[in-house]
Amino acid sequence: MDNNVFPKDFLWGGATAANQIEGAFDEDGRGLATSDFARLVSKQERDTEGKFDEHVPHNASSSEMVADMKANPDSWHLPKRWGIDFYHTYKEDIALLAEMGFKVFRMSISWSRIFPNGDDKQPNELGLAFYDKVFDECHKHGIEPMVTLSHFDTPLHLAEEYGGFLSRHTVDAFVHYAQTVIARYQSKVKYWLTFNEINNVLSNPFTSSGVILGGAKKVSDGNPYLGHWQEKFQAVHNQMVASALTVQLAHRINPNLRVGNMLCRLENYAESTKPEDQLQVLFEDHFNWFFTDVQANGEYPYYMKRFFKENHINVEFAPGDKEALLEGTVDFITISYYMTYVMRYRGEPVPKPTGRLVSDIKNPNLELSAWGWPIDPIGFRITLNHIYDRYHLPIFISENGLGAVDQLESDGRIIDDYRIDYMRKHVEQMREAIKDGVDVFGYAWWGPIDLVSSGTSEMTKRYGMIYVDQDDYGQGTGERKRKKSFYYYKKVIQSNGAELDNDIKY
Ligand code: BG6
């Protein structure tokens, strides 16, 4: 069997987000962001509550909670404020990534580090200088940075004063921010992503879009609150416009720059062979494709019209929006892929977004992670084919990974064979997809260094090949240790994906 399948310049690497690694939430002029108000929800707490759905209780989403977190920060655990201290350890951390042979490091810029309120006239030079240093460090090691402009950390001021992306004011502010950083770093960063998991607005409007449901003080465009879908779809429309304008401005700044989307890809299976279950798959798929259909094709797909009409959702297009979407289509597609979902007909003729990330119906053929996420490598091959079939654009895997509890041996080693197994199976299926003819140009493991979980703000949910000695409450030495998977990924990268067997010394 020919194992030399990956293109020779394939971008192997890993992905992180500013709010989950940087810490230093109030240093060097950084302003507050929505992520600074994400509270710790431990597994123990969730188990006690009997909940498996991680994306309901964890984030502050009302103005009351935010107000209390501001007034009494010490009575809350807000781990994204300290992250893993990457703000101070970036040199050491990037050197470790380089030791694994990384070709790409997907990271994000904290918007409120550059513009503390999100909409300031002048950028914060200290914030800009930090990312200069990070990008220089990457290049020193031959690593290409790939940068997400907004990864679940909308500046708090924009959320509180304008309802985040409900307002066109936030669109203007975002475009100004994008213009500033893209122009500044154009010679250091070629690949840009606009909004992380843009579809997350359905489950998580506060962190991803700055929308405080029912709580924003002022909505400059006067958009009435007709219910949460109205708000969510209006906010995401505004984000898609901001994204399209960013694609255009990046190309104007430098035609060599490439801008991609980022979708949390939800691949769905029917629970049975009943046509109705398959119909439910179609509905759910539409809610997932919608975002990328707009970002890649430049217009709203036909299938949303019925949903909008029957649910009285009126997405307001400002003059020029239609043209902006059409002229600002993305250069490549990126997805996060973690799991697949099972669909059962809900008995309704039109789809409704669930806003849930972990499906309630279990797939008996799949194992679950310790956090209840079904592990499905073949689903990865299927989804890559579906995406390529639909868009015929190059694909970059911006996230794939396994959150697990790691055990520290008495000799200090972390023997994470489960993580190696997960990676091997997913890389094998990506290889099959490439053989199928899918154009995949890179793969970023989520959280190559342990970081604060997005969904629950835990450290216990570890993704890394690099262990960070820190617990859910920020206690620990912060020391970094190489796990067994560190050497596995190194071998995968060195062989350009040709050697995937588990045979490594540790
Ligand atoms: C994606 C996000 O949803 O999944 C990341 O883009 C996140 O920010 C990752 O960390 C894994 O989710 P979690 O909740 O396990 O951290």
Side-chain angles (χ1 to χ4, degrees):
M1 189 171 67
D2 179 17
N3 285 343
N4 295 314
V5 171
F6 291 93
K8 76 171 184 346
D9 49 1
F10 192 78
L11 293 174
W12 297 98
T16 59
N19 77 86
Q20 293 170 258
I21 61 171
E22 283 181 7
F25 81 105
D26 56 357
E27 275 183 53
D28 293 338
R30 181 186 177 279
L32 290 173
T34 52
S35 49
D36 299 323
F37 297 86
R39 73 179 182 94
L40 171 68
V41 180
S42 66
K43 186 164 190 306
Q44 190 189 10
E45 185 183 348
R46 279 181 291 114
D47 286 350
T48 321
E49 289 173 0
K51 289 197 174 86
F52 240 145
D53 186 347
E54 301 181 343
H55 287 259
V56 177
H58 62 287
N59 283 310
S61 57
S62 71
S63 31
E64 291 74 27
M65 274 176 95
V66 172
D68 195 54
M69 287 172 174
K70 272 180 170 173
N72 308 301
D74 295 342
S75 57
W76 296 87
H77 295 294
L78 304 170
K80 288 173 186 163
R81 295 185 175 203
W82 58 74
I84 55 163
D85 200 32
F86 178 83
Y87 193 72
H88 301 110
T89 59
Y90 69 91
K91 280 193 184 170
E92 177 196 344
D93 293 342
I94 292 170
L96 283 166
L97 303 180
E99 195 183 318
M100 273 189 281
F102 270 38
K103 315 279 181 227
V104 69
F105 177 40
R106 175 182 170 234
M107 49 171 282
S108 74
I109 294 180
S110 152
W111 180 354
S112 64
R113 212 177 270 297
I114 309 300
F115 291 100
N117 292 299
D119 58 358
D120 313 69
K121 291 231 160 19
Q122 296 302 325
N124 169 25
E125 182 53 38
L126 288 175
L128 287 168
F130 170 66
Y131 294 105
D132 266 320
K133 288 186 280 182
V134 171
F135 299 145
D136 290 346
E137 203 61 26
C138 287
H139 287 296
K140 191 174 108 188
H141 293 285
I143 298 174
E144 183 87 46
M146 177 181 282
V147 173
T148 316
L149 287 161
S150 175
H151 191 132
F152 298 169
D153 56 359
T154 311
L156 189 72
H157 167 77
L158 295 177
E160 290 193 313
E161 294 299 320
Y162 297 95
F165 276 95
L166 272 178
S167 163
R168 301 297 293 204
H169 177 81
T170 303
V171 174
D172 295 343
F174 179 84
V175 170
H176 179 51
Y177 155 61
Q179 165 81 37
T180 306
V181 294
I182 294 174
R184 167 98 169 204
Y185 305 124
Q186 57 174 303
S187 63
K188 299 180 184 183
V189 181
K190 174 180 175 187
Y191 297 106
W192 296 86
L193 308 181
T194 51
F195 293 98
N196 182 63
E197 292 190 343
I198 191 163
N199 49 321
N200 231 295
V201 69
L202 296 182
S203 56
N204 222 340
F206 175 65
T207 22
S208 58
S209 316
V211 175
I212 302 178
L213 292 171
K217 279 194 237 152
K218 181 167 71 188
V219 180
S220 63
D221 59 6
N223 181 30
Y225 288 167
L226 295 178
H228 295 175
W229 286 341
Q230 172 63 39
E231 292 169 311
K232 290 171 179 177
F233 280 100
Q234 185 64 56
V236 86
H237 169 78
N238 293 344
Q239 282 179 267
M240 293 190 296
V241 170
S243 173
L245 293 170
T246 301
V247 175
Q248 293 177 58
L249 74 85
H251 291 164
R252 273 198 306 275
I253 289 171
N254 186 334
N256 295 324
L257 302 183
R258 291 287 167 267
V259 187
N261 73 320
M262 173 20 171
L263 176 79
C264 176
R265 174 66 190 135
L266 312 181
E267 187 67 40
N268 300 300
Y269 301 142
E271 187 187 29
S272 76
T273 49
K274 281 188 208 150
E276 287 87 349
D277 287 348
Q278 191 57 40
L279 186 66
Q280 193 69 42
V281 170
L282 180 80
F283 291 162
E284 293 290 334
D285 257 351
H286 281 165
F287 277 113
N288 194 236
W289 291 129
F290 163 65
F291 306 88
T292 310
D293 280 355
V294 177
Q295 291 189 290
N297 299 334
E299 57 185 11
Y300 272 48
Y302 76 92
Y303 52 79
M304 291 305 276
K305 289 199 183 105
R306 179 172 179 183
F307 168 71
F308 286 156
K309 191 164 166 234
E310 296 189 7
N311 291 287
H312 313 289
I313 297 164
N314 177 27
V315 176
E316 200 182 312
F317 275 58
D321 281 4
K322 207 165 166 245
E323 295 73 18
L325 293 177
L326 206 55
E327 287 157 26
T329 55
V330 290
D331 301 313
F332 61 100
I333 304 293
T334 89
I335 56 155
S336 58
Y337 175 82
Y338 290 95
M339 57 188 139
T340 50
Y341 303 81
V342 180
M343 291 301 144
R344 181 186 300 152
Y345 187 54
R346 292 213 185 92
E348 297 188 72
V350 288
K352 291 197 168 120
T354 60
R356 292 172 70 87
L357 273 192
V358 178
S359 93
D360 2 15
I361 307 165
K362 298 277 173 271
N363 185 334
N365 306 298
L366 301 177
E367 280 176 29
L368 303 181
S369 79
W371 271 258
W373 292 16
I375 299 172
D376 186 0
I378 292 177
F380 191 29
R381 175 179 177 186
I382 295 171
T383 216
L384 288 173
N385 272 276
H386 278 164
I387 293 167
Y388 197 56
D389 196 23
R390 201 169 177 102
Y391 304 113
H392 288 276
L393 283 171
I395 300 170
F396 180 87
I397 313 307
S398 48
E399 289 182 27
N400 173 232
L402 176 72
V405 179
D406 287 337
Q407 197 65 44
L408 206 55
E409 303 294 320
S410 51
D411 60 4
R413 292 184 303 159
I414 301 101
I415 305 173
D416 55 343
D417 287 320
Y418 37 88
R419 190 169 286 110
I420 293 173
D421 196 51
Y422 180 102
M423 176 182 282
R424 180 176 56 74
K425 289 181 177 154
H426 282 79
V427 173
E428 274 170 3
Q429 292 303 321
M430 174 167 62
R431 185 172 67 189
E432 290 308 308
I434 292 174
K435 283 197 209 163
D436 294 336
V438 178
D439 180 1
V440 185
F441 71 97
Y443 173 84
W445 178 265
W446 173 255
I449 180 164
D450 292 343
L451 37 67
V452 176
S453 154
S454 171
T456 61
S457 295
E458 289 166 287
M459 270 304 286
T460 310
K461 190 179 188 184
R462 294 176 185 273
Y463 284 86
M465 295 107 182
I466 301 164
Y467 185 86
V468 177
D469 179 20
Q470 184 179 305
D471 69 12
D472 289 345
Y473 301 92
Q475 303 299 311
T477 62
E479 190 196 341
R480 276 63 169 150
K481 289 178 192 291
R482 295 164 188 78
K483 303 182 194 176
K484 188 175 178 187
S485 56
F486 182 97
Y487 298 98
Y488 178 70
Y489 198 29
K490 187 174 176 178
K491 168 171 141 172
V492 171
I493 299 177
Q494 264 174 1
S495 67
N496 197 26
E499 288 173 30
L500 299 181
D501 62 89
N502 300 6
D503 184 20
I504 35 162
K505 286 203 190 74
Y506 180 54

